[in-house]
Amino acid sequence: MRSRQDIVEIFSSFIQFNADRFTNWATDPKLRRNMQNSLAQSPHATTKENFWALYWYKLWLAQPESQAFGHLYAYLQEAGYWAAQSIVTNFTSSQHTVADCFQIAIAKVDKILQGFNSQQGFNLKNYAGAIFTSTIKETLRQRQEVDICTDWSLLRKLSHKRLEAALQNAGISPEKVTSYLLAWNCFKTIYVPTQAGATRQLAKPDSATWDAIAKLYNSQNPGTPVRQAETLEQWMLACAKAARSYLYPTVASINTPKPGQDTGEWLDNLPELQGESLLTNIITQEEIESRQTQQKQISEVLVAAIAQLDMQAQQILQLYYGEALTQQQMAAQLDIKQYTISRRLTKCREELLKALAQWCKDLHISLTSDVLKDISAVLDEWLQGHYSQTDMAAGVEDTSATLADLKSPRE
């Protein structure tokens, strides 16, 4: 895939696929004009990605309906693509394509923006890449489980909270949700598998079991109409259908036409951006220079700490963070036990955390529990950027880990 180089293109263009292959970057005219105007009007204009990512993010916080979301959606396209590419490459058993995984990832941009905290030292692109990867993995695991299970197996595996959410998502009335959940509890109480081992292929309960379920339901719900076994079976099938829809949602293109429209270019419907003058209030040149200095210091500390590790430890970090291999895959490639991989990864992180903690002490930052938690988050984000296969050098230079920010009001 051709990487975007121009700052205007980075914040105004979107990936186009053809038969699961990247074809080109499609530019949204409104976003392009808005980005060009912002560059021209800003007294502190810069072509640094992180500068503008942080600007649009803070503007989105202040004005969620502004074009800031469109710029951020465009900015995170590459992070979503590389996360999808990594999953498809390393999980050969998956039947999903890069385009499928990309759609799963990019649909979570709003979740990423809601969870992102610039004050904790995260780089938005690296943070998004980590969330995209975990989101795709979890979605594929859920889909595989949903595809394998029969309706009756799925109903036994569901939690009360998840089934309730699925029923509500399906638009079922609160009264029916209550009845369905009671019937489901009766189903789980009566229909207990007798075979040992996996229960993914449970058969439909027999007539006697359904009669027992109906009897238990009616005894626990006095004063209401008596429900027959056939009714409860229909309810359970409705629960299974709602759960599948909830766990395995249909992914629709963001460009799906709206009713009455020939095209559905959603960005054309975004309100015009207001208040470009907020830029000078959001990020000053002094803040940028300070962050760049801190980024360089953190990178130097961690690069030096990694250099002190033995070659096998460095290789494990590269495979885990750079190539996104699982511990099992790493164990097979290095011909060592999986639990050894796990222990070595933990030890490597401990050594790197010690280096960061010492750097904090040198800056007279108090190592409170909150600070230690933030240091751990900063380390994970930095490692993702440092070992990025797409642009390792940029990952080191662009890391916005500002541990000096940890000298916050929490002290």
Side-chain angles (χ1 to χ4, degrees), residues 128-156:
I131 300 300
F132 283 151
T133 299
S134 62
T135 296
I136 296 171
K137 288 181 179 179
E138 179 60 24
T139 300
L140 295 185
R141 277 194 292 267
Q142 286 184 357
R143 289 186 176 185
Q144 183 183 36
E145 188 70 15
V146 169
D147 287 341
I148 292 175
C149 289
T150 64
D151 288 340
W152 320 112
S153 300
L154 180 61
L155 288 170
R156 286 202 56 83

Side-chain angles (χ1 to χ4, degrees), residues 161-174 177 181 242 246:
K161 181 178 180 180
R162 181 159 287 182
L163 178 57
E164 183 177 17
L167 294 172
Q168 292 172 346
N169 184 69
I172 298 174
S173 67
V177 168
L181 290 175
Y246 180 72

Side-chain angles (χ1 to χ4, degrees), residues 341-360:
I341 293 288
S342 179
R343 286 203 301 264
R344 298 231 63 190
L345 270 173
T346 301
K347 184 65 176 177
C348 289
R349 290 191 81 261
E350 288 177 352
E351 293 300 319
L352 298 180
L353 284 171
K354 287 179 183 178
L356 277 181
Q358 184 59 50
W359 181 78
C360 289

Side-chain angles (χ1 to χ4, degrees), residues 50 54 79 87 94 110 141 145 157 182 185 204 226 229 286 326 341 352 387:
N50 285 339
L54 189 57
I87 294 296
S94 173
D110 57 342
R141 277 194 292 267
E145 188 70 15
K157 290 176 178 292
L182 177 58
N185 278 312
K204 173 184 173 180
V226 174
E286 181 178 353
T326 64
I341 293 288
L352 298 180
Y387 286 104

